């Protein structure tokens, strides 16, 4: 059978290209596979030849050693691919289809899936609701930074692109549908962004830029992006965002300079648990709740916070014992006093990916340009991880099988 190379986490700061088995329609034992999932039959699955598979900030948390990920865990949950084989239980997806793979693995059969809460499927991860490819504590489904990957419940999970030639013309944009574009959109929607909104997005990494893009798509009047990284802020300005440099002070006074008032209608946290305090330049110390607390300060009373940034329950590198368990010093009193709403958790990708696909195919949005997507080879993945970790204003898209020009 065809060979299969994959990007694996080795130890903090190190990823490596390794040889792994070609997928079969069974979940086998391996690094990070939940014992209760070993031997699980997947007749409803499809084997995908990877067209594009992206490096995500969530992968970076694992690679920094900030999770309990085991060595040799195959990475990658942002997958776009061509179907090369289907299991006997697959009815509608066909060999040759080019599809986006939502990063959430969902069964389509449980109560949550039926309610469109595909980020917290009850049947795919024996540990807790919700699963993703190539991610710690998510059941052990093998990651997609590889030549080939198994997608379970293929008829349910896969979003087929209507026309192959049209899809390949816009493939760098469509590659963002597996995670960051729906995730950013979910952050904006759950923050209540609509026509005329003023929006603050904390973080100018790819998810922050996707949230800002989404806010524009939803009709926001002003989209402000805050970060410590000038290259990433420049990227935000390239598609019409206002920006604030948090190395020069807190967000409230800089927002006031833009809007005339020190508050916004809607706030989005696209940073997550490795947040650093503002006002201290690039040597800012990690302060995990700093973004959430500042968002509560600057979001208008009655407003909402969308929190697509990742927070974990196990962080070996946490700044204190509480942070190691995901317990943060939140100013919940501020949120209560201002009647703020919060939405956290995995984005239910299927809730949005078809509409966003149509927006891409009909030229309503240029997400790849906005996040500065760049294709690199599978062999260059370690270099891509290192550059992304160093703050490159780039969304790295791996090209394992040569589909991308």
């Amino acid at each position: 059978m065809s060979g299969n190379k994959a990007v694996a986490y080795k130890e903090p700061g190190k990823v490596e290209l390794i040889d792994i088995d070609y997928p079969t329609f069974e979940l086998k034992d391996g690094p990070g596979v939940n014992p209760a999932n070993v031997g699980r039959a997947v007749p409803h699955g499809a084997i995908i030849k990877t067209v594009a598979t992206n490096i995500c900030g969530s992968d970076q948390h694992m690679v920094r050693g900030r999770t309990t990920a085991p060595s040799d865990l195959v990475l990658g949950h942002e997958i776009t691919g061509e179907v090369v084989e289907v299991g006997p239980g697959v009815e509608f997806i066909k060999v040759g289809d080019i599809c986006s793979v939502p990063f959430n693995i969902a069964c389509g059969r449980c109560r949550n899936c039926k309610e469109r809460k595909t980020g917290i499927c009850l049947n795919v991860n024996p540990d807790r609701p919700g699963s993703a490819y190539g991610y710690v504590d998510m059941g052990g489904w093998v990651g997609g930074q590889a030549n080939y990957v198994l997608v379970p419940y293929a008829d349910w999970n896969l979003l087929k692109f209507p026309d192959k030639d049209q899809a390949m013309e816009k493939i760098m944009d469509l590659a963002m549908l597996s995670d960051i574009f729906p995730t950013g959109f979910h952050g904006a929607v759950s923050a209540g962004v609509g026509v005329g909104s003023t929006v603050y997005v904390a973080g100018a990494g790819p998810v922050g830029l996707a949230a800002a893009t989404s806010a524009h798509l939803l009709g926001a009047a002003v989209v402000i992006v805050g970060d410590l990284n000038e290259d990433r802020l420049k990227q935000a300005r390239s598609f019409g965002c206002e920006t604030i440099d948090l190395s020069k002070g807190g967000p409230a006074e800089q927002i006031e300079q833009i809007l005339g008032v020190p508050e916004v209608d809607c706030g989005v946290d696209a940073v997550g648990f490795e947040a650093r305090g503002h006002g201290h330049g690039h040597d800012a110390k990690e302060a995990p709740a700093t973004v959430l607390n500042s968002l509560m300060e600057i979001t208008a009373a009655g407003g909402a916070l969308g929190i697509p940034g990742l927070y974990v329950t196990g962080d070996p590198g946490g700044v204190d014992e509480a942070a190691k368990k995901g317990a943060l010093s939140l100013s919940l009193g501020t949120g209560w006093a201002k009647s703020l709403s919060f939405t956290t958790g995995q984005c239910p990708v299927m809730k949005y990916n078809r509409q966003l696909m149509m927006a891409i195919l009909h030229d309503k949005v240029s997400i790849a340009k906005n996040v500065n997507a760049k294709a690199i080879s599978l062999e260059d993945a370690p270099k891509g991880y290192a550059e992304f970790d160093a703050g490159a204003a780039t969304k790295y898209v791996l090209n394992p099988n040569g589909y991308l020009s």
Side-chain angles (χ1 to χ4, degrees):
M1 197 40 101
S2 309
N4 196 15
K5 291 197 175 306
V7 180
Y9 167 70
K10 299 300 279 189
E11 61 188 45
K14 186 179 181 190
V15 299
E16 209 171 84
L17 206 57
I18 64 169
D19 288 296
I20 62 167
D21 291 339
Y22 184 85
T24 63
F25 295 105
E26 181 187 311
L27 187 51
K28 297 192 168 73
D29 200 6
V33 180
N34 188 298
N37 260 351
V38 173
R40 184 168 177 164
V42 191
H44 43 66
I47 295 170
I48 300 284
K49 186 177 185 184
T50 309
V51 171
T53 175
N54 317 335
I55 296 174
C56 180
S58 304
D59 296 320
Q60 204 65 268
H61 294 303
M62 286 190 289
V63 173
R64 290 186 189 124
R66 294 301 296 271
T67 69
T68 52
S71 182
D72 282 332
L73 183 80
V74 173
L75 300 166
H77 55 270
E78 299 193 9
I79 309 160
T80 309
E82 181 173 9
V83 177
V84 291
E85 208 177 325
V86 294
V90 176
E91 213 177 335
F92 307 112
I93 288 290
K94 303 289 183 236
V95 170
D97 288 346
I98 295 199
C99 304
S100 179
V101 184
F103 81 90
N104 327 102
I105 301 169
C107 73
R109 296 147 162 82
C110 72
R111 170 185 171 174
N112 285 350
C113 283
K114 288 174 180 177
E115 292 177 359
R116 300 180 81 193
K117 299 171 185 169
T118 52
I120 42 173
C121 171
L122 300 172
N123 288 332
V124 284
N125 179 1
D127 276 337
R128 63 176 82 161
S131 185
Y133 303 86
Y135 215 83
V136 61
D137 297 332
M138 289 288 186
W141 300 93
V142 180
Q145 287 176 14
N147 298 107
Y148 299 91
V149 64
L150 173 69
V151 173
Y153 305 103
D155 282 327
W156 168 251
N157 282 308
L158 292 174
L159 174 68
K160 178 188 166 183
F161 300 141
D163 181 89
K164 196 181 267 194
D165 293 336
Q166 182 193 28
M168 290 312 295
E169 277 174 32
K170 295 185 180 289
I171 197 65
M172 290 294 276
D173 292 288
L174 296 170
M176 303 305 146
L177 289 174
S178 57
D179 182 356
I180 66 161
F181 195 11
T183 292
F185 192 83
H186 179 59
V189 167
S190 52
V193 178
V195 173
S197 297
T198 57
V199 186
Y200 176 65
V201 178
V207 169
L209 296 175
T213 300
S214 301
H216 285 307
L217 196 57
L218 289 163
V222 186
V223 181
I224 304 169
V225 180
D227 204 296
L228 295 156
N229 180 322
E230 178 47 39
D231 289 341
R232 290 181 169 182
L233 292 173
K234 186 177 170 192
Q235 188 61 34
R237 289 193 291 275
S238 75
F239 60 94
C241 299
E242 299 283 346
T243 59
I244 60 179
D245 182 345
L246 295 169
S247 67
K248 296 180 177 158
E253 54 268 37
Q254 297 188 66
I255 287 169
E256 187 167 21
Q257 287 167 9
I258 296 165
L259 297 177
V261 290
E263 64 180 22
V264 290
D265 301 323
C266 315
V268 179
D269 172 6
V271 180
F273 75 106
E274 284 192 72
R276 291 182 294 162
H278 56 64
H280 307 288
H282 292 279
D283 300 322
K285 295 283 183 287
E286 194 170 305
T290 190
V291 171
L292 291 170
N293 287 332
S294 70
L295 281 172
M296 286 191 274
E297 292 288 346
I298 61 173
T299 301
L305 308 186
I307 308 173
L310 178 73
Y311 289 86
V312 294
T313 54
D315 172 14
V319 291
D320 53 36
E321 286 310 307
K324 286 177 184 176
K325 295 182 293 201
L328 309 180
S329 298
L330 279 184
S331 178
L332 198 59
T334 303
W336 192 93
K338 295 176 77 173
S339 294
L340 300 176
S341 307
F342 295 64
T343 302
T344 65
Q346 281 191 32
C347 161
V349 170
M350 272 190 224
K351 203 169 178 179
Y352 310 110
N353 62 354
R354 182 172 296 280
Q355 302 95 300
L356 295 176
M357 173 185 78
M358 296 303 284
I360 289 168
L361 293 176
H362 296 282
D363 300 316
K364 297 298 178 201
V365 68
S366 304
I367 183 67
K369 179 171 129 319
N370 290 5
V371 299
N372 194 27
K374 177 184 175 185
I376 62 174
S377 70
L378 200 60
E379 290 70 23
D380 279 341
K383 184 165 172 260
Y385 269 98
E387 289 176 4
F388 187 40
D389 192 45
T394 306
K395 177 69 176 175
Y396 290 97
V397 178
L398 302 178
N399 180 23
N401 293 304
Y403 284 89
L404 309 178
S405 53

